[in-house]
Amino acid sequence: MDDDGRELGAFLRSRRARVAPESMGIAVGSRRRVPGLRREELAQLAGISVDYYVRLEQGRATQPSPEILDALADVLGLGRTEREHLRALTAAPRKVRRSSRRRPERVRPELQRLLDAMYGLPALVTGHRQDVLAWNRLGSELAGGLDEGRRDRNNARYLFLDPASRETFPDWAQRARETVAVLRLAAGRHADDERLRELVGELSVRSEEFGALWASADVMVCGSGTKRFRHPAVGELTLRYETLQLPVSAGQTGQELHVYNAEDAGAEEALRLLGAWTASPR
């Protein structure tokens, strides 16, 4: 079984376990030992043979038709992001690009100038592996100190391997869940990325928390919302963020621009103080 087959099987099993049989009109007896739907129940509800579904979960049938995917997604109650992830996992096999290990991701100089011009608005750019590729001064400070090299510049590695991240993010558990779900979505879209595979392998070995969250097979797109930060100079503050997908350039894909802004007077004053603090000699 290849990696794509394992990912597909893990995703299907995790979603099958979350479907309550009662919601599908299936009577549950006292001898039932598995959570969610059985394989044969899901296959029947989706209108496919049990043998074929078993082969899907075992990674021996990795390119089902769009009709089968839609039927499975309907029974499993998948949302839009999960449906896209399922399609990515069943796309044509891709060869791992070993040359990608020697090709670092970069941002366009024009984008860095834009970040620097966002005075008063923390901003940063990430790649699909959760590497922080560019930032402005406020973005650096809120994220834990990117300018000074106080933290690993990969968000996932920083969160799970650096205890300081739990001070930077008061809602650490939520940030961790979101980061793993976003990384898992990227793994489906970039199954040919050897560096991404190595990152997941490293974190799975070194962090039990990462391994448990990865096993849940959740996927997510974080387009907007709020995040809490803690900074030694200004304390805690809650900011709203917007995430913008950047256009592909020079072979770089999956880059995102994250911009933060204050929603209330308290956060606005904290950002002002933080801006003055970063501008002063230290």
Side-chain angles (χ1 to χ4, degrees):
M1 184 196 309
D2 60 16
D3 288 338
D4 289 343
R6 281 191 292 268
E7 287 293 313
L8 174 60
F11 184 68
L12 289 173
R13 284 190 296 274
S14 71
R15 292 309 176 269
R16 177 166 60 84
R18 298 182 185 188
V19 179
E22 299 89 341
S23 68
M24 298 294 170
I26 299 173
V28 178
S30 60
R31 304 178 108 184
R32 193 179 190 93
R33 297 180 179 178
V34 297
L37 294 174
R38 296 188 174 106
R39 288 172 169 175
E40 58 270 22
E41 292 168 343
L42 176 53
Q44 182 178 7
L45 289 167
I48 61 178
S49 72
V50 176
D51 177 68
Y52 184 74
Y53 180 74
V54 170
R55 287 164 55 207
L56 282 173
E57 277 204 5
Q58 292 178 344
R60 295 185 291 120
T62 57
Q63 296 183 57
S65 69
E67 292 77 16
I68 289 178
L69 291 181
D70 287 341
L72 289 171
D74 288 342
V75 175
L76 295 171
L78 302 187
R80 177 179 177 181
T81 300
E82 292 173 315
R83 287 172 182 261
E84 292 177 356
H85 184 60
L86 179 62
R87 286 194 291 270
L89 293 177
T90 57
R94 289 156 286 182
K95 184 178 180 181
V96 174
R97 296 194 309 264
R98 299 189 180 277
S99 60
S100 66
R101 122 182 352 264
R102 297 186 296 274
R103 189 166 56 246
E105 280 193 276
R106 293 186 175 88
V107 300
R108 293 179 293 110
E110 295 83 1
L111 182 55
Q112 182 63 64
R113 288 197 290 270
L114 175 64
L115 294 174
D116 294 336
M118 290 182 178
Y119 183 78
L121 293 176
L124 49 85
V125 175
T126 59
H128 68 270
R129 303 183 191 102
Q130 290 297 297
D131 294 314
V132 186
L133 306 174
W135 55 86
N136 59 15
R137 290 295 298 275
L138 280 179
S140 168
E141 285 302 321
L142 280 182
L146 293 160
D147 277 330
E148 297 80 8
R150 296 198 305 264
R151 55 154 289 186
D152 193 299
R153 290 178 181 171
N154 179 274
N155 279 337
R157 196 180 286 113
Y158 173 62
L159 273 168
F160 289 97
L161 302 183
D162 190 338
S165 68
R166 299 173 191 261
E167 289 298 316
T168 300
F169 302 108
D171 301 319
W172 184 90
Q174 181 179 349
R175 299 282 80 78
R177 286 193 300 271
E178 291 175 352
T179 298
V180 174
V182 169
L183 198 64
R184 184 121 203 180
L185 184 64
R189 293 174 173 175
H190 303 275
D192 57 346
D193 191 324
E194 184 182 21
R195 288 178 59 192
L196 179 54
R197 293 176 188 234
E198 290 178 351
L199 173 65
V200 171
E202 175 194 359
L203 293 174
S204 297
V205 170
R206 299 181 62 186
S207 170
E208 291 184 4
E209 290 168 301
F210 178 89
L213 289 170
W214 188 261
S216 71
D218 287 335
V219 291
M220 182 185 300
V221 173
C222 296
S224 63
T226 59
K227 287 185 181 180
R228 283 204 304 154
F229 299 87
R230 184 184 293 116
H231 190 276
V234 299
E236 288 191 13
L237 65 163
T238 301
L239 300 176
R240 181 154 193 89
Y241 71 89
E242 295 289 337
T243 299
L244 306 175
Q245 300 289 328
L246 296 175
V248 176
S249 63
Q252 307 291 0
T253 62
Q255 292 185 0
E256 297 179 333
L257 170 63
H258 311 270
V259 182
Y260 298 86
N261 65 88
E263 284 195 308
D264 56 54
E268 188 173 350
E269 176 63 11
L271 279 183
R272 187 189 68 77
L273 292 174
L274 185 58
W277 186 82
T278 59
S280 62
R282 297 194 299 277

